[in-house]
Amino acid sequence: MLDERSKKVLYAVIQCYINTPGPVGSRVVTKKYHFGLSPATIRNIMSDLEEMGYLSQPHTSAGRIPTDSGYRFYVDSLSAEKQLVNNVLTAELNKKFELIKKDINSFLDDASKMLSELSHYIGITMSPNTGMTTLRKIELLKYRDNRLAVILFTDEGIIQNRIVPVVPDISQRELNRIAEYINSRFKGRSLDEIKRLILKEMTKEKVLCDSLISEAIRICRNAFSAAPGNIYISGLSEVLRLPEFCDINRIRELLQTLEAKHIIVNLLDNIADSEGTQVLIGAENILDEMRQFSLVAATYKEGSRPMGTIAIIGPRRMNYLETISIVDSTAQFITKLLS
Amino acid sequence: MLDERSKKVLYAVIQCYINTPGPVGSRVVTKKYHFGLSPATIRNIMSDLEEMGYLSQPHTSAGRIPTDSGYRFYVDSLSAEKQLVNNVLTAELNKKFELIKKDINSFLDDASKMLSELSHYIGITMSPNTGMTTLRKIELLKYRDNRLAVILFTDEGIIQNRIVPVVPDISQRELNRIAEYINSRFKGRSLDEIKRLILKEMTKEKVLCDSLISEAIRICRNAFSAAPGNIYISGLSEVLRLPEFCDINRIRELLQTLEAKHIIVNLLDNIADSEGTQVLIGAENILDEMRQFSLVAATYKEGSRPMGTIAIIGPRRMNYLETISIVDSTAQFITKLLS
DNA sequence: CTTTAGCACTCTCCACGTCCGAGTGCTAAT
DNA sequence: ATTAGCACTCGGACGTGGAGAGTGCTAAAG
């Protein structure tokens, strides 16, 4: 459908445009890439590419800029070269992350900074939604008179604590029994699952009226409400260097979106379902405010279960090859760390 | 030094400028505030005020804008009116924060959002540097074979967990003994203090060579390294509406500063020492990048010990009365919550 | 039939000049 | 001491015009 020569011209235009924004004309293409063709021929080809929807003209008698479909075509043809860059990056990542004894949250904070440093775009990392993590062990510790600290140990190495109100006269021994009960029944299940099971249990056993069990259920109900995953965003200042961010209103829109973190969390959660590294180019984004940007996202896993998502947001005129590689190998790197 | 009439003119100019940016001329002053004086007289007074350093002219034959000293004079004369606004705000705060069973971190996140919503500037909150918090109780729980979870309960209601590597063959019973030892010796002291004491202990008791104690010390050394306080920043998009943020480079500088959170942490930590609500106007800021902005900060306390800091960053042309009130009453509000 | 050279045309960007309005400072009158 | 009047200054808006980059078309060449 697209002959080899046209492809080469398309890629050339895209690469030119990525390097220096602003419409790219037929002359620069002939100068930078030696196809052995004259500007006139290139013009004809570019005209064809425009008809096919891969290029567009901001105004008559200006050069061409890639459309979203143009980028898409380019990105889809990239997978082959990707692996190559990946290997180089992975080596670099290993160097950067020598000291990782930290907990996962501050680790992800650093990771988002690293994403933005490497790419010069916006780096985003999300910690696993705790509802997905599996319980290894629960501990109940009396804290103040009417307060209980619930410590959840998960298989993923995440430790969480919640403070739960509790009847004042319960003893530590009773708490231990409750913890034991929970451990034996729910170990190895995800927190979300446990919460569901607990709710079922409630209706069943309330006839029993065992005050200890009912207190246990009450505690669990409070404790297993999943904490929303944290999200870390870095590189905002980085991205303001780019010429596409000369419009204040566009910046504000983006910032507004990024500040409403739950929106981003949702966005990335949806992506998390699909395999591999996802690329959303411009208008492919569901969010209106993101239409001017592209998003590259991947999930990191623990074993085979997806845990969290990392992503990079940049201009549509993004260095896709590099960015995809960075996201890809960082996700793989985190996955390896978690196992 | 400054007669009543001049003061009134100064305040009028400042208030005009706060409402609508752009140099304010003698005519608008006479129109909006009825001093019973003609523009010419106002001009003379404004000329005097300029000579005294309270006003300045961006260029000849333009109106006047306040200087940092002008704002300072204005702010210093404000304390009387402050209390009045405070009371109104406190009522509003109480309404907004009904459901605060959350842990302190997500609470501070919300608080920073609230600061920015109320002020339309940038809201910042810092969680207490954990080194300052006092130990109520420590629990050591074996987690994986060679991993130990240290749970620190503090008087301030903050629970922290650290994962510490440990010799594999230590039993839970031994851990309990170590915990008991730490509890008895260090309860009621701040984590920083404990860390210092531990270091001393090390040199003393290493002769003893009691393997249990030395293991305990090793654990503590790892566990009591204070986690840096978290910092929450909201309202970036809010502030971009303001006309002073039309310059991309200025935005970038600010974002860069805000992203380097440790810089802000340092800045606010310094302020935390002083009593009451602090106002830094423009060049009074130590940080170059903050010279274009003003900062209003206050500390919240637990009892009499300062715990953390909250702040608002806005343009120099800031509604100081309102902003100071917001910061002031929010700090008081948090203080009350913690007790 | 494909490629190329030549040419007229289009559109943006920038620099320059002009004009208008807002505001000042000064002086003289009240 | 205050005010009215007036000349002066400066920034911002507007329009114009030329330079530059790039296109599309046509006709010639391979």
Side-chain angles (χ1 to χ4, degrees):
Chain A
M1 161 186 176
L2 212 57
D3 61 75
E4 204 52 39
R5 206 178 56 176
S6 306
K7 272 191 203 173
K8 275 194 180 161
V9 172
L10 176 58
Y11 297 165
V13 171
I14 291 179
Q15 258 156 37
C16 267
Y17 192 64
I18 286 176
N19 290 332
T20 49
V24 11
S26 53
R27 265 179 61 92
V28 284
V29 173
T30 54
K31 287 255 165 112
K32 289 205 181 175
Y33 307 81
H34 311 100
F35 294 121
L37 292 172
S38 77
T41 316
I42 300 290
R43 273 207 289 284
N44 289 330
I45 300 174
M46 280 162 81
S47 184
D48 294 347
L49 286 170
E50 180 168 9
E51 220 167 303
M52 286 186 265
Y54 293 132
L55 295 178
S56 76
Q57 263 178 318
H59 57 85
T60 18
S61 81
R64 303 300 205 295
I65 61 175
T67 63
D68 288 351
S69 332
Y71 285 126
R72 169 54 60 198
F73 189 92
Y74 170 69
V75 167
D76 288 342
S77 73
L78 231 54
S79 38
E81 303 170 60
K82 207 174 60 184
Q83 204 48 51
L84 217 147
V85 189
N86 266 16
N87 296 337
V88 181
L89 271 170
T90 315
E92 199 169 334
L93 286 176
N94 277 313
K95 249 188 265 168
K96 284 216 173 193
F97 271 87
E98 288 183 54
L99 56 167
I100 328 166
K101 286 292 169 217
K102 310 173 200 179
D103 72 314
I104 188 149
N105 278 320
S106 51
F107 164 68
L108 285 176
D109 195 9
D110 288 350
S112 79
K113 280 189 193 110
M114 202 194 51
L115 283 175
S116 79
E117 266 169 37
L118 287 175
S119 67
H120 299 289
Y121 303 135
I122 297 174
I124 301 182
T125 56
M126 270 170 55
S127 71
N129 185 319
T130 52
M132 310 269 291
T133 57
T134 57
L135 182 67
R136 168 180 288 241
K137 189 166 137 196
I138 191 173
E139 289 267 354
L140 304 178
L141 299 169
K142 201 143 181 203
Y143 174 38
R144 293 185 188 184
D145 284 348
N146 54 349
R147 290 289 169 78
L148 178 65
V150 180
I151 320 282
L152 298 172
F153 298 80
T154 70
D155 279 343
E156 289 78 7
I158 301 166
I159 301 183
Q160 292 177 70
N161 41 250
R162 316 274 166 81
I163 299 174
V164 170
V166 78
V167 292
D169 55 348
I170 198 163
S171 73
Q172 180 65 50
R173 179 164 304 173
E174 287 172 305
L175 289 177
N176 288 345
R177 274 185 54 205
I178 294 177
E180 217 171 294
Y181 168 77
I182 298 173
N183 279 326
S184 63
R185 286 220 41 178
F186 296 124
K187 186 178 168 173
R189 293 179 185 271
S190 79
L191 300 196
D192 276 346
E193 211 175 343
I194 296 174
K195 199 182 179 195
R196 266 207 322 281
L197 291 172
I198 299 267
L199 282 176
K200 250 198 232 160
E201 206 108 328
M202 268 176 64
T203 56
K204 239 191 278 172
E205 307 211 23
K206 81 175 158 212
V207 255
L208 259 176
C209 254
D210 179 333
S211 75
L212 201 56
I213 291 196
S214 76
E215 182 66 13
I217 289 175
R218 226 182 42 71
I219 291 171
C220 289
R221 208 156 36 113
N222 276 310
F224 287 106
S225 52
N230 281 329
I231 185 165
Y232 301 93
I233 301 176
S234 301
L236 291 171
S237 61
E238 205 65 61
V239 101
L240 289 191
R241 290 178 207 278
L242 301 174
E244 28 267 287
F245 285 79
C246 59
D247 180 13
I248 294 266
N249 284 321
R250 189 173 297 175
I251 302 175
R252 221 191 52 223
E253 271 185 13
L254 181 67
L255 274 183
Q256 227 160 12
T257 313
L258 291 180
E259 284 199 321
K261 297 186 172 172
H262 57 276
I263 295 180
I264 304 293
V265 171
N266 275 341
L267 182 68
L268 293 186
D269 269 343
N270 286 341
I271 292 170
D273 297 334
S274 20
E275 261 308 303
T277 303
Q278 296 286 308
V279 183
L280 292 182
I281 300 165
E284 295 174 4
N285 274 294
I286 316 126
L287 290 177
D288 275 2
E289 304 91 328
M290 294 278 295
R291 292 274 158 86
Q292 298 298 326
F293 308 101
S294 285
L295 183 141
V296 179
T299 63
Y300 57 89
K301 306 178 181 183
E302 203 262 336
S304 65
R305 201 171 55 264
M307 292 270 293
T309 308
I310 67 171
I312 286 179
I313 292 179
R316 285 196 315 213
R317 180 185 66 83
M318 173 192 269
N319 188 333
Y320 286 98
L321 178 56
E322 193 181 273
T323 308
I324 293 173
S325 298
I326 292 172
V327 170
D328 211 48
S329 45
T330 304
Q332 280 173 32
F333 185 76
I334 297 179
T335 299
K336 212 169 58 193
L337 273 182
L338 287 180
S339 64
Chain B
M1 163 184 174
L2 211 58
D3 62 76
E4 205 51 40
R5 206 179 56 176
S6 306
K7 271 191 204 175
K8 274 194 182 160
V9 173
L10 176 58
Y11 296 164
V13 171
I14 291 179
Q15 258 156 37
C16 267
Y17 192 65
I18 285 176
N19 290 332
T20 49
V24 9
S26 53
R27 264 178 61 93
V28 284
V29 173
T30 54
K31 286 256 165 108
K32 289 203 182 174
Y33 308 81
H34 310 99
F35 294 120
L37 292 173
S38 76
T41 316
I42 300 290
R43 272 206 289 284
N44 288 330
I45 299 173
M46 280 163 79
S47 184
D48 293 348
L49 286 169
E50 180 168 8
E51 221 167 304
M52 287 185 267
Y54 293 133
L55 295 178
S56 76
Q57 262 179 317
H59 58 87
T60 18
S61 81
R64 302 301 206 293
I65 61 175
T67 62
D68 288 351
S69 331
Y71 286 126
R72 168 56 58 198
F73 189 93
Y74 170 68
V75 167
D76 287 343
S77 73
L78 231 55
S79 37
E81 302 170 60
K82 206 173 61 184
Q83 203 48 52
L84 217 145
V85 189
N86 266 16
N87 296 337
V88 181
L89 270 170
T90 315
E92 198 170 335
L93 286 176
N94 278 314
K95 249 188 266 167
K96 285 216 172 191
F97 271 86
E98 288 182 58
L99 56 165
I100 329 169
K101 285 291 170 216
K102 309 173 200 178
D103 71 315
I104 189 150
N105 278 320
S106 51
F107 163 68
L108 285 175
D109 194 11
D110 287 350
S112 80
K113 281 191 192 107
M114 201 194 52
L115 282 176
S116 80
E117 266 169 38
L118 287 175
S119 67
H120 299 289
Y121 302 135
I122 297 174
I124 301 181
T125 56
M126 269 171 54
S127 70
N129 186 320
T130 53
M132 311 268 292
T133 58
T134 57
L135 182 67
R136 168 180 289 239
K137 189 166 138 196
I138 191 173
E139 290 267 354
L140 304 177
L141 298 170
K142 201 143 180 203
Y143 175 36
R144 294 187 188 183
D145 284 347
N146 55 348
R147 292 287 170 80
L148 178 66
V150 179
I151 321 282
L152 298 173
F153 299 79
T154 71
D155 279 344
E156 289 79 6
I158 301 167
I159 300 183
Q160 291 176 70
N161 40 251
R162 314 276 166 80
I163 298 174
V164 170
V166 78
V167 292
D169 55 348
I170 200 163
S171 72
Q172 181 65 49
R173 179 164 303 171
E174 286 173 305
L175 289 176
N176 288 345
R177 274 186 55 205
I178 294 177
E180 217 171 294
Y181 169 77
I182 298 174
N183 278 326
S184 64
R185 286 218 42 177
F186 298 124
K187 185 177 169 174
R189 294 181 186 268
S190 78
L191 300 196
D192 276 346
E193 214 175 341
I194 296 174
K195 202 184 177 196
R196 263 209 322 281
L197 290 172
I198 299 269
L199 282 176
K200 252 198 230 162
E201 206 108 329
M202 266 176 65
T203 56
K204 239 191 279 173
E205 307 211 23
K206 81 176 159 210
V207 254
L208 258 176
C209 253
D210 179 332
S211 74
L212 201 58
I213 291 196
S214 77
E215 182 66 15
I217 289 175
R218 228 183 40 73
I219 291 171
C220 290
R221 209 158 35 115
N222 277 309
F224 287 107
S225 52
N230 282 329
I231 185 165
Y232 301 93
I233 301 176
S234 301
L236 291 172
S237 60
E238 205 66 61
V239 101
L240 290 190
R241 291 178 206 279
L242 302 174
E244 27 268 286
F245 285 78
C246 59
D247 180 13
I248 294 266
N249 284 322
R250 189 173 297 175
I251 302 176
R252 221 191 51 223
E253 270 185 14
L254 181 67
L255 274 183
Q256 227 161 12
T257 313
L258 291 180
E259 283 199 322
K261 296 186 174 171
H262 58 276
I263 294 180
I264 305 293
V265 171
N266 275 341
L267 182 68
L268 294 186
D269 268 344
N270 286 341
I271 293 170
D273 296 334
S274 20
E275 261 308 304
T277 302
Q278 295 287 308
V279 183
L280 291 182
I281 299 165
E284 295 175 4
N285 274 294
I286 318 127
L287 290 177
D288 275 2
E289 305 90 328
M290 295 276 296
R291 293 272 159 88
Q292 298 298 325
F293 309 101
S294 286
L295 182 142
V296 180
T299 63
Y300 56 90
K301 305 179 183 183
E302 203 262 335
S304 65
R305 201 172 56 266
M307 291 270 292
T309 308
I310 67 171
I312 287 179
I313 292 179
R316 284 194 316 210
R317 179 185 68 82
M318 174 191 268
N319 188 333
Y320 287 97
L321 178 57
E322 193 181 272
T323 308
I324 292 173
S325 299
I326 292 173
V327 170
D328 211 47
S329 46
T330 304
Q332 281 173 32
F333 185 76
I334 297 179
T335 299
K336 211 168 60 194
L337 274 182
L338 287 180
S339 64

